[in-house]
Amino acid sequence: MALTDVKQVRICEVGLRDGLQNEKKIMTTEQKIQAVNDLTAAGFPVIEVGSFVSPKAVPQVADTDAVFQGIRQKPGVEYRALIANLKGVERAVACGCKKVKLNVSASVAHNLANLNCTPAESVARFAVCVERAKEEGIEISGSISMAFGSPWDKEIPVSVVCKIIEAYREVGIREISLSDASGMAYPSQVAEICRTVKAKYPDCSWWLHFHNTRGLGIANILAGLSEGFTQYDTSFAGTGGCPFVPGAAGNVSSEDVVHMLDEMGIATGIDLDRLMAISRKVAEFLGHPTDSYLLRAGKASDLILDVPTRQGKNHTQTPEKK
Ligand code: ZN
């Protein structure tokens, strides 16, 4: 598919979950509620609000229930949470969350060591979650982390990823996210996996989730776009990481991706200025530099410098104020 054929992309902001869960400084519930409402106002069609997992394991998102109770859910916007089991579905029901996402690691070695079963066997155990979610009218999707490689296996064969996709389909899940938490994906591999899974499972709805650990996040998104994949997770200010992956970076920053898509004439529905204001606030709160090119350099369209003259004096002409 030619990139010029892509007209629209859906972005899910995952900063509140994936971004903040790796930070020492924890936002208050009030700050999170404000951030979700601001992201809604900025035009995000999907927002990952947090996770319903063990508060001991991930204290940064322990208050996800309270955040859901405090936000204004705009009709048409999906407010998603990550879950690990049936308890997660029950928590979603109790606080008004209408969209949940399960996750499994594609690493057979990692899964066997941790859970004593293969990734596909893990997914089969999710059947109870799907049943309960459907009873309650909650949409349920599945993600596959380490789909492009893991620190334990290096590359993950496409056949392994397909087995997990089939396990998800078996339990009735058709919305699937391929995630590169380890930052090992590269563009030609992304294109090949996208082409394979799209041809094999044409009725699935796909998300791609890239971490920018080795600077390939945007390149991988372009590879996905060229295969007609139009749903991506990104993170405000480029926050995030992964506790078990050495040197892991965050997702590609939301503002960098929206800026690129704006320049390419691809619609996202997101107001870049409002998004940058949110990301700036997050970066200020965290108090350390984050991986966002836009926060450093600003938008290309704002760049109107004075033209230097021969004498080394600058032109006095200033850009017209809006
Ligand atoms: Zn991630």
Side-chain angles (χ1 to χ4, degrees), residues 17-18 179 181 209 211 241 251:
R17 201 273 308 165
D18 209 359
S179 154
H209 175 116
H211 282 248
N251 291 82

PDB file of all heavy atoms in Angstrom, residues 17-18 179 181 209 211 241 251, ligand 1:
ATOM      1  N   ARG A  17      -0.718   4.423  31.410  1.00  0.00           N
ATOM      2  CA  ARG A  17      -0.500   3.035  31.835  1.00  0.00           C
ATOM      3  C   ARG A  17       0.959   2.647  31.568  1.00  0.00           C
ATOM      4  O   ARG A  17       1.760   2.543  32.469  1.00  0.00           O
ATOM      5  CB  ARG A  17      -1.487   2.119  31.092  1.00  0.00           C
ATOM      6  CG  ARG A  17      -1.738   0.783  31.755  1.00  0.00           C
ATOM      7  CD  ARG A  17      -0.765  -0.279  31.360  1.00  0.00           C
ATOM      8  NE  ARG A  17      -0.633  -0.435  29.928  1.00  0.00           N
ATOM      9  CZ  ARG A  17       0.368  -1.101  29.361  1.00  0.00           C
ATOM     10  NH1 ARG A  17       1.291  -1.667  30.107  1.00  0.00           N
ATOM     11  NH2 ARG A  17       0.456  -1.197  28.049  1.00  0.00           N
ATOM     12  N   ASP A  18       1.301   2.515  30.306  1.00  0.00           N
ATOM     13  CA  ASP A  18       2.636   2.035  29.936  1.00  0.00           C
ATOM     14  C   ASP A  18       3.720   3.038  30.321  1.00  0.00           C
ATOM     15  O   ASP A  18       4.810   2.661  30.747  1.00  0.00           O
ATOM     16  CB  ASP A  18       2.671   1.794  28.423  1.00  0.00           C
ATOM     17  CG  ASP A  18       3.636   0.703  28.042  1.00  0.00           C
ATOM     18  OD1 ASP A  18       4.291   0.155  28.934  1.00  0.00           O
ATOM     19  OD2 ASP A  18       3.742   0.398  26.840  1.00  0.00           O
ATOM     20  N   SER A 179       2.888  -6.186  20.090  1.00  0.00           N
ATOM     21  CA  SER A 179       3.657  -5.222  20.864  1.00  0.00           C
ATOM     22  C   SER A 179       5.144  -5.562  20.870  1.00  0.00           C
ATOM     23  O   SER A 179       5.536  -6.723  20.967  1.00  0.00           O
ATOM     24  CB  SER A 179       3.087  -5.210  22.280  1.00  0.00           C
ATOM     25  OG  SER A 179       4.068  -4.800  23.190  1.00  0.00           O
ATOM     26  N   ALA A 181       7.653  -4.635  23.210  1.00  0.00           N
ATOM     27  CA  ALA A 181       8.103  -4.087  24.489  1.00  0.00           C
ATOM     28  C   ALA A 181       9.621  -4.101  24.595  1.00  0.00           C
ATOM     29  O   ALA A 181      10.209  -3.267  25.272  1.00  0.00           O
ATOM     30  CB  ALA A 181       7.493  -4.888  25.636  1.00  0.00           C
ATOM     31  N   HIS A 209       2.228  -1.640  18.622  1.00  0.00           N
ATOM     32  CA  HIS A 209       2.711  -0.960  19.829  1.00  0.00           C
ATOM     33  C   HIS A 209       4.236  -1.070  19.842  1.00  0.00           C
ATOM     34  O   HIS A 209       4.788  -2.133  20.094  1.00  0.00           O
ATOM     35  CB  HIS A 209       2.064  -1.693  21.022  1.00  0.00           C
ATOM     36  CG  HIS A 209       2.489  -1.259  22.385  1.00  0.00           C
ATOM     37  ND1 HIS A 209       1.612  -0.677  23.282  1.00  0.00           N
ATOM     38  CD2 HIS A 209       3.661  -1.356  23.051  1.00  0.00           C
ATOM     39  CE1 HIS A 209       2.239  -0.432  24.423  1.00  0.00           C
ATOM     40  NE2 HIS A 209       3.478  -0.829  24.314  1.00  0.00           N
ATOM     41  N   HIS A 211       8.049   0.250  21.092  1.00  0.00           N
ATOM     42  CA  HIS A 211       8.907   1.029  21.993  1.00  0.00           C
ATOM     43  C   HIS A 211      10.100   1.530  21.186  1.00  0.00           C
ATOM     44  O   HIS A 211      10.538   0.890  20.246  1.00  0.00           O
ATOM     45  CB  HIS A 211       9.347   0.174  23.185  1.00  0.00           C
ATOM     46  CG  HIS A 211       8.265   0.052  24.212  1.00  0.00           C
ATOM     47  ND1 HIS A 211       8.350   0.619  25.452  1.00  0.00           N
ATOM     48  CD2 HIS A 211       7.050  -0.548  24.158  1.00  0.00           C
ATOM     49  CE1 HIS A 211       7.231   0.367  26.132  1.00  0.00           C
ATOM     50  NE2 HIS A 211       6.418  -0.340  25.368  1.00  0.00           N
ATOM     51  N   GLY A 241       8.971   2.389  29.571  1.00  0.00           N
ATOM     52  CA  GLY A 241      10.112   1.481  29.607  1.00  0.00           C
ATOM     53  C   GLY A 241       9.570   0.088  29.816  1.00  0.00           C
ATOM     54  O   GLY A 241       8.404  -0.172  29.543  1.00  0.00           O
ATOM     55  N   ASN A 251       7.338   4.189  24.671  1.00  0.00           N
ATOM     56  CA  ASN A 251       6.734   4.136  23.339  1.00  0.00           C
ATOM     57  C   ASN A 251       7.199   5.363  22.563  1.00  0.00           C
ATOM     58  O   ASN A 251       7.645   6.338  23.153  1.00  0.00           O
ATOM     59  CB  ASN A 251       5.206   4.188  23.455  1.00  0.00           C
ATOM     60  CG  ASN A 251       4.653   2.930  24.073  1.00  0.00           C
ATOM     61  OD1 ASN A 251       4.649   2.781  25.275  1.00  0.00           O
ATOM     62  ND2 ASN A 251       4.207   2.025  23.252  1.00  0.00           N
TER      63      ASN A 251
HETATM   64 ZN    ZN B   1       4.583  -1.124  26.057  1.00  0.00          ZN
END
